[in-house]
Amino acid sequence: MGNITFTMIKPEAVEAGSSGAIFKIIEENNFRIVSLKKVLLSAEKASKFYEVHKDRPFYSELVEYMTSGPIFAAILEKDNAVLDFRELIGSTNPSEAKDGTIRKLFAESMAKNAIHGSDSDENAIIESDFHFDSNERF
Ligand code: CDP
Ligand code: MG
C-alpha cells in the first residue's frame, strides 16, 4: 500500500474560489501537501493525462474542459493515500457521492466534478511524475 496520491482541483472549482476550502478539508483529513502548483494545462498535456479514456464518448469534452482554465495540481501523502483519498472525494457522479465528500460539496456535474484523485498506487506515481520533478517535492 503506497503513501502518495495525486490530485487536481478542476477548473470550475478553481474559478468558483473553492480551492482553499477544498485544501482545508484535505489537510484536516491528514493528507500532507508534498507539492502544489497552479497551472493551465495544454491540450497536449490534458490529452496525455486522460489517454486511458481516449475511446470514451466524453473524452474530447473532458480535454476541452480540463484546459478551459487553470487547475491546482498536488501530490498528497498519507498512509493508504489512494484509497483514503478516493473515499474523501466521493463518487465520480456527484449525485451518487456521499454526504461530506468533496464532490458532494463542490461538484457541479458528472463532468465538472471539482477534483481528481488517482485510482491506484501505480497511477499515483505516474501522474505525480507527469506533473512534478523530484526537486519540487518536500
Ligand atoms: O475521476 P474519476 O476517476 O472518478 O472518473 P473517471 O471514470 O476516471 O473519469 C475521469 C473524468 O472524466 C471524471 O472525473 C469526469 O470529469 C469525466 N467523466 C465524464 O465527463 N463523463 C463520464 N461519463 C465519466 C467521466
Ligand atoms: Mg479516474
Side-chain angles (χ1 to χ4, degrees):
M1 133 188 136
N3 66 343
I4 66 153
T5 192
F6 173 78
T7 188
M8 296 182 289
I9 311 297
K10 297 186 176 183
E12 95 284 6
V14 173
E15 172 69 24
S18 302
S19 307
I22 292 172
F23 280 112
K24 183 167 191 281
I25 294 170
I26 290 171
E27 287 191 309
E28 281 171 350
N29 280 271
N30 303 315
F31 290 87
R32 199 178 69 77
I33 300 169
V34 174
S35 308
L36 175 62
K37 68 180 160 196
K38 192 177 194 182
V39 61
L40 181 61
L41 293 178
S42 64
E44 194 185 357
K45 216 160 174 181
S47 308
K48 185 124 204 320
F49 186 87
Y50 282 113
E51 204 163 28
V52 295
H53 295 307
K54 68 178 188 310
D55 297 325
R56 308 278 293 280
F58 59 84
Y59 179 67
S60 58
E61 230 175 275
L62 177 60
V63 170
E64 201 174 304
Y65 158 54
M66 288 301 294
T67 57
S68 67
I71 58 146
F72 280 100
I75 301 173
L76 304 175
E77 183 181 69
K78 181 183 183 296
D79 288 346
N80 202 30
V82 166
L83 289 179
D84 285 1
F85 196 68
R86 292 293 301 202
E87 188 74 29
L88 182 63
I89 70 177
S91 302
T92 309
N93 185 344
S95 67
E96 291 166 11
K98 287 188 207 149
D99 283 350
T101 61
I102 291 171
R103 282 172 168 166
K104 180 75 175 192
L105 289 165
F106 297 101
E108 282 180 16
S109 65
M110 177 87 147
K112 298 183 175 182
N113 60 3
I115 190 160
H116 169 82
S118 306
D119 62 6
S120 65
D121 289 338
E122 188 191 359
N123 282 333
I125 290 165
I126 292 169
E127 292 172 0
S128 297
D129 290 349
F130 187 74
H131 288 274
F132 293 98
D133 294 333
S134 55
N135 65 351
E136 295 175 310
R137 303 172 193 216
F138 301 96

